[in-house]
Amino acid sequence: MSGMSGTTAAALGQRRRAAGDGAGRWVVLVVLCVSLLLVAVDATVLHVAVPAVTEDLRPGAIELLWIVDVYPLVCASLLILFGTLGDRVGRRRILLLGYALFGVASAVAAFAHHPQTLILARALLGVGGAMIMPATLSILRQVFPDRRERALAIGIWSAVAAVGAAVGPLLGGFLLEHFWWGSVFLVNIPLMLVSLPVGRLLLPESRGDREGPWDVAGALMAAAGLFGTVFGVKRLGGGEPVLSAVTLGPLVLGVVLLVAFVRRQRRRTHPLVDLGMFARPAFSTAVGCIVLAMLALVGLELIAAQYLQLVLGLSPLGTGLRLLPLTFAAMAAGLVGARVLRRFGPRRMVCAGFCVTAAAVVLLTAMGGADDAGLLLAGFVLLGLGLETTLFGAYESMLSEAPADRAGGAAAIGETSYQLGAGMGIALLGTVMNAAYAPGVARVPGVPAGASGRASHSLGEAYEVAGRLGGPAGAALRRAARDSFVHGLHVTLLVSAGLLLLGAAAALRLPRVMQCDEAVELPAQREVERSRVSA
């Protein structure tokens, strides 16, 4: 018995060393957070540089659309491919390759002289991002086998994600005031030059189940299916007609490929993605909560930016500063998330996060044509707290429920759900917004029907049309468009609140308490268990 205890202790010690013990684990977390920060910043840093890029490169309308959208589109499409590949060939290896590709693509983007070159560079950045994102979460799952520590690590990780999303526009605005637009990409290169050798030295290598061949056809099928689906959803969110062949064709083809991918995975002995994870209520519910949270909120972020700039007249930098309280609240929620999770459990935490977010959204329906800084501050703080609490609890539950040897695939599923929810949110809430906005500017006294038709597309176009009209007619159109936009914003907020309450109801399927006993151990620990059974 004593010999068996000694063997167990030795194996557990080996397990801790393999995962990274003591302070080394937290150094690894710092490296992973820097990786995440780069990807999160790059997703938003270009937004403020679009006017400068347009002036310098003179891209066409389609080329400009691809410059902006190709990065998230490619990244979302390849998450499952690289997440599962990391489980097979090594997560650290995929992460380091992602670092190198990200640095090279950043240099190409910074010095691009043609729109096509910038589109290609942005696509390569998306490939690098798809290699980095699931690898950071799966390595985090491996390095922190204890769920209590892992919850704290995920809280820090998610707080860094919130910082990155907010820092992107602010950093881009600062660089554009002092340098040319390519500088928004150059900032990636020094960080990558440091992260690559440091990551190679400090990050542990880990792999999952390597039995059976890697399903190359399935990986390509998933990538093509996600590309078509996300592309179609993004076009719907951009106001394109549903029956357009360029919208409907890729969307239908993408859905068909994803259905075929699921059927293929169910038939295979060694599937690319373990769909059996969805049979676990905690895993499937957590993924659904991520989708619902993003579905309800990402469209609101775009609409809120338009409200702050076009209705209240704030500058892009002023808009970013006004949204900072949301970021600080999200950071705070992420940093205390582990303690809250231990105290209240996943079910109450995620459900409460949805409810707080819904309350914030309802509070923001009091926004009108005049600036109310106190109302916006309260609403954005509650929004940041609720959103981060929801996503933290959902991500932690999803990652902890997944087997350790499938961590890359699980992380890829979580990130893909995030991206799909965001795309569907833009499409759904954008449609609701347009449906509520358009009737208010369709018939404005004194405004020609053609002008009203163009103004009904968006508030920005309405302001352009009003400026060309001038006089009383232009002033009437501008006032009607602003009032209609505020009305549409209120309707959209109420729809979003309904989706959030639906998420709160779905969260009731999550476990009541945080189970800290590891259901799936690393190979050394499994060997100990086999020895114990045979003895």
Side-chain angles (χ1 to χ4, degrees), residues 110-381:
F111 296 104
H113 295 295
H114 304 284
Q116 296 86 349
T117 305
L118 184 55
I119 292 171
L120 175 62
R122 291 277 290 167
L124 291 176
L125 282 169
V127 177
M131 300 172 84
I132 292 171
M133 288 294 288
T136 58
L137 265 180
S138 54
I139 292 174
L140 188 150
R141 171 72 170 83
Q142 189 81 12
V143 170
F144 293 92
D146 180 76
R147 187 170 182 179
R148 297 179 189 86
E149 287 189 346
R150 184 166 63 246
L152 177 59
I154 291 175
I156 296 171
W157 182 88
S158 58
V160 169
V163 171
V167 164
L170 294 176
L171 178 62
F174 173 80
L175 291 172
L176 287 172
E177 287 184 3
H178 297 86
F179 308 101
W180 93 113
W181 62 264
S183 61
V184 303
F185 297 107
L186 280 184
V187 294
N188 296 332
I189 297 176
L191 290 173
M192 283 301 168
L193 289 176
V194 173
S195 297
L196 193 58
V198 171
R200 182 177 176 82
L201 179 65
L202 296 178
L203 294 177
E205 184 59 283
S206 64
R207 295 178 177 87
D209 183 6
R210 303 180 68 180
E211 295 180 2
W214 187 59
D215 185 9
V216 178
L220 296 176
M221 191 181 296
L226 286 168
F227 187 93
T229 303
V230 175
F231 178 78
V233 167
K234 278 184 172 292
R235 281 185 61 86
L236 288 176
E240 299 293 334
V242 178
L243 298 180
S244 167
V246 183
T247 300
L248 193 60
L251 184 60
V252 171
L253 180 61
V255 171
V256 169
L257 284 174
L258 289 179
V259 171
F261 170 75
V262 170
R263 295 184 64 182
R264 177 183 177 87
Q265 297 309 296
R266 286 177 173 172
R267 292 196 305 266
R268 290 183 64 85
T269 306
H270 302 287
L272 185 71
V273 175
D274 183 9
L275 298 178
M277 290 188 293
F278 285 95
R280 306 181 181 192
F283 185 89
S284 57
T285 301
V287 171
C289 287
I290 293 170
V291 172
L292 275 172
M294 298 313 301
L295 182 67
L297 289 162
V298 73
L300 292 181
E301 180 182 347
L302 298 177
I303 295 169
Q306 294 180 54
Y307 170 79
L308 292 172
Q309 292 185 56
L310 297 178
V311 176
L312 300 186
L314 298 179
S315 66
L317 183 59
T319 299
L321 293 173
R322 190 65 69 91
L323 290 170
L324 274 182
L326 189 154
T327 303
F328 290 140
M331 288 173 55
L335 294 175
V336 302
R339 184 176 300 177
V340 174
L341 185 64
R342 289 196 301 269
R343 175 68 178 84
F344 296 103
R347 180 187 301 177
R348 283 186 286 181
M349 181 178 186
V350 176
C351 188
F354 271 120
C355 291
V356 169
T357 310
V361 167
V362 172
L363 176 64
L364 289 174
T365 59
M367 292 187 300
D371 189 0
D372 188 338
L375 173 70
L376 292 176
L377 176 63
F380 288 155
V381 167

Side-chain angles (χ1 to χ4, degrees), residues 404-471:
D405 60 354
R406 297 284 182 174
I413 289 172
E415 293 298 327
T416 303
S417 302
Y418 185 100
Q419 297 288 347
L420 284 176
M424 290 188 294
I426 293 173
L428 174 62
L429 297 184
T431 301
V432 171
M433 180 70 192
N434 291 335
Y437 163 78
V441 294
R443 292 185 179 88
V444 180
V447 177
S452 295
R454 292 192 299 274
S456 65
H457 294 157
S458 69
L459 182 59
E461 287 190 56
Y463 281 177
E464 290 181 11
V465 173
R468 288 197 295 268
L469 285 175

